Amino acid sequence: MLDETTRQFTQVFNAVCAYGWQHSEKNGVRLHHATYYDLREAYPRLNANVLIQARIKATEALKSAFDRKAKGRKAGQPQSRQCPIRYNERTSVLNWQTQEVCLSTVEGRILVPFQVPPYSSKYAGYQVTTADLCIRNERYWLHVVVSVPEPDVPQSDEVIGVDLGLNRPAVTSNRHFLGSRHWKEVERRRFRLRRKLQSKGTKSAKRHLKKLSGRSLRFHRDCDHVLSKRIVEHATPGSTLVIENLTHIRSTSKIRKKTETSRRLHSWSFAQFHTFLSYKAQERGMQVVKIDPRHTSQTCSQCGHQARNNRRSQSVFHCRSCGYQLNADLNAAYNIRDKFCLAQGGTSVLSGPLSDGLSSHASV
C-alpha cells in the first residue's frame, strides 16, 4: 500500500511539474486551479490532502528551477522517480508512547510501528508538524519535523565573530580553530577518482560516478553538521554569533578559474552550513547574524589600517602601519566581531580597545 501510494504521489508531482514547466507557471494557487480537479479524477484513491502536498512540493521544485533558469544556469523540467510522500497533521497521527504512526494510503489508513534512532531520541515527544516518507535501500524512513519551544536562556553580551574559509573551515574570535585538515584531503582524493572515472566513460564508471556524487553530498552535509555543532559548543548560551554574508561570492570572487581553490569554492555549501548553524544556535538561545564581509581580511584589528598587502600570505597577517602580526583568519574573526559591535552601539562589548587580540608581534 505504501509503495502504491508513493507511486501515485510521484505521478501527481511529475504531472504538476510538467504543466508548470510547459506553461511557465510557478504560482501555487494558479497551479492548484489548473491541475487539481483533473488529478483528483485521475487518482481517486489518493487522499485529497496528500495530493495537495504533492502539488506544493511540485511548486517548490518549479520555483527553484525557474530561479536557476533566470540566473542563466542549467535548468530543466523537475522530475522525480520516487518522490517522498509529505504528510501533515491531517494525513498522519504519530504516537510517541506506543511508537506507532497512522498514515493515509490509497487503501485507507494503516498503523505502522517505528523506531527512533538514538541520535534523534532527544526530540521524541514534541509536537509533530510535517513528515516525509522516504524509501532508502528498500527500507522506509519517516523524516519527522517537530516543533521545539524556545529555550529560556538569559541573553549574554558576548559577541563571537566567525571567519569561514576554504583552508580553515572556521576560526572564531575566541580563538578556536575548527574543522579538520582531513576534509580537504578527502575532497582531493574524490576529485582525482572522479576525473579518472569521467575519462573512462563506461557504463560501470558512470554508475560509480553516481554513487560518488551521493557520497560527496552526504560527506559535505556531515562536515557542516560537525562544524556548526563545534561553533555552538564553544560559545556561551545566549550570545551572538556573527558570520559573513557569503551570498553571490561565486560570482564576485576574483579567484582564477580551473584551479583547486576555484573548484572548492564552487562546491562550498555555505548556505547549508548557515541553516545548520542557525537552528543549532537557536536551541541554546543564541542568534546568528550576517554582516558585510568586505575588507575584513585586509583591515588590521589593532589599529584599523586597511591595505591589500597587509595579508602577506594565506595564513599570515602583518599590518604595514603598526606591525601587528597574527593569524590572518583570526584577525578576520576579530574584525567581523568588531564590525557588528560598532554597528550596534559604536563600542565593543569587551573591555579595552575594539580588539583584544594577541600581543603586537605574536603569531598563531
Side-chain angles (χ1 to χ4, degrees), residues 94-97 99 114-128 144 146-148:
L94 190 143
N95 191 320
W96 293 109
Q97 283 70 36
Q99 292 202 343
F114 66 86
Q115 295 178 345
V116 180
Y119 55 82
S120 300
S121 58
K122 65 178 181 178
Y123 298 112
Y126 287 111
Q127 179 185 355
V128 179
V144 180
V146 296
S147 178
V148 180

Side-chain angles (χ1 to χ4, degrees), residues 37-305:
Y37 295 103
D38 291 339
L39 291 173
R40 281 294 293 152
E41 185 177 352
Y43 302 95
R45 295 193 299 162
L46 194 64
N47 182 282
N49 199 283
V50 174
L51 188 144
I52 291 173
Q53 294 302 316
R55 192 268 306 161
I56 293 174
K57 270 198 165 187
T59 304
E60 295 169 356
L62 285 167
K63 287 181 179 179
S64 178
F66 283 124
D67 287 345
R68 288 176 61 90
K69 186 178 180 181
K71 294 176 182 178
R73 301 168 64 183
K74 184 178 180 181
Q77 176 185 317
Q79 191 171 9
S80 175
R81 290 182 296 178
Q82 198 172 65
C83 186
I85 307 173
R86 178 176 293 173
Y87 288 100
N88 56 20
E89 66 276 3
R90 297 180 180 179
T91 54
S92 67
V93 179
L94 190 143
N95 191 320
W96 293 109
Q97 283 70 36
T98 61
Q99 292 202 343
E100 292 179 323
V101 60
C102 183
L103 301 173
S104 293
T105 69
V106 292
E107 300 294 338
R109 293 196 171 229
I110 60 172
L111 202 62
V112 184
F114 66 86
Q115 295 178 345
V116 180
Y119 55 82
S120 300
S121 58
K122 65 178 181 178
Y123 298 112
Y126 287 111
Q127 179 185 355
V128 179
T129 56
T130 61
D132 282 16
L133 187 67
C134 308
I135 304 175
R136 185 180 299 165
N137 297 329
E138 299 183 355
R139 293 185 64 186
Y140 280 102
W141 295 82
L142 192 66
H143 289 195
V144 180
V145 180
V146 296
S147 178
V148 180
E150 289 281 351
D152 187 14
V153 178
Q155 292 300 306
S156 170
D157 290 334
E158 182 181 14
V159 177
I160 300 174
V162 182
D163 179 64
L164 306 176
L166 297 175
N167 188 54
R168 291 187 182 272
V171 179
T172 65
S173 59
N174 53 358
R175 299 175 63 176
H176 289 288
F177 292 74
L178 305 175
S180 174
R181 296 184 184 274
H182 170 69
W183 296 349
K184 189 190 298 184
E185 182 54 39
V186 170
E187 283 301 306
R188 286 173 179 165
R189 186 168 64 247
R190 286 186 177 157
F191 171 73
R192 292 193 294 266
L193 178 58
R194 191 182 303 112
R195 185 168 54 185
K196 183 178 179 181
L197 292 171
Q198 288 172 343
S199 64
K200 285 188 176 181
T202 60
K203 289 185 178 180
S204 60
K206 291 179 181 178
R207 286 196 300 268
H208 197 169
L209 278 169
K210 187 176 180 180
K211 292 182 180 179
L212 194 63
S213 174
R215 196 176 303 160
S216 296
L217 289 174
R218 292 190 296 273
F219 176 75
H220 284 157
R221 188 178 182 85
D222 180 70
C223 291
D224 289 339
H225 271 302
V226 171
L227 189 61
S228 56
K229 184 178 180 179
R230 295 292 179 268
I231 292 174
V232 171
E233 286 177 344
H234 287 94
T236 306
S239 59
T240 301
L241 297 175
V242 186
I243 64 174
E244 298 169 300
N245 186 1
L246 299 177
T247 307
H248 307 306
I249 189 175
R250 294 187 178 95
S251 57
T252 59
S253 174
K254 296 181 181 179
I255 298 175
R256 292 181 302 170
K257 296 182 178 180
K258 296 184 179 180
T259 62
E260 180 184 358
T261 306
S262 175
R263 185 176 70 249
R264 294 180 60 207
L265 176 67
H266 284 271
S267 63
W268 194 7
S269 54
F270 52 83
Q272 176 179 263
F273 166 80
H274 176 258
T275 302
F276 293 166
L277 181 64
S278 296
Y279 85 79
K280 286 180 172 63
Q282 191 177 11
E283 284 185 316
R284 301 189 66 190
M286 303 159 64
Q287 62 173 333
V288 180
V289 181
K290 288 183 177 182
I291 66 162
D292 189 349
R294 286 178 291 185
H295 309 306
T296 54
S297 297
Q298 302 173 8
T299 305
C300 177
S301 58
Q302 187 73 9
C303 69
H305 175 68

